[in-house]
Amino acid sequence: MDWRIVVVLAPVALAASWAVFNIGRAALGQLQTFLDSREA
């Protein structure tokens, strides 16, 4: 594999994984809040 492809795609993959992590964490927090409010 050409190293230039890795150099170009690595920051994009890192940013995408960070966004998925943050969105997933926020979604889980909202889901937990929703489930807590349903039980009360």
Side-chain angles (χ1 to χ4, degrees):
M1 178 181 269
D2 192 359
W3 64 271
R4 291 171 293 185
I5 296 172
V6 176
V7 168
V8 170
L9 292 182
V12 176
L14 183 65
S17 63
W18 182 249
V20 168
F21 171 75
N22 283 328
I23 291 169
R25 190 174 60 173
L28 286 175
Q30 286 190 354
L31 180 63
Q32 188 67 42
T33 302
F34 173 72
L35 292 175
D36 288 345
S37 67
R38 277 187 42 191
E39 292 174 3

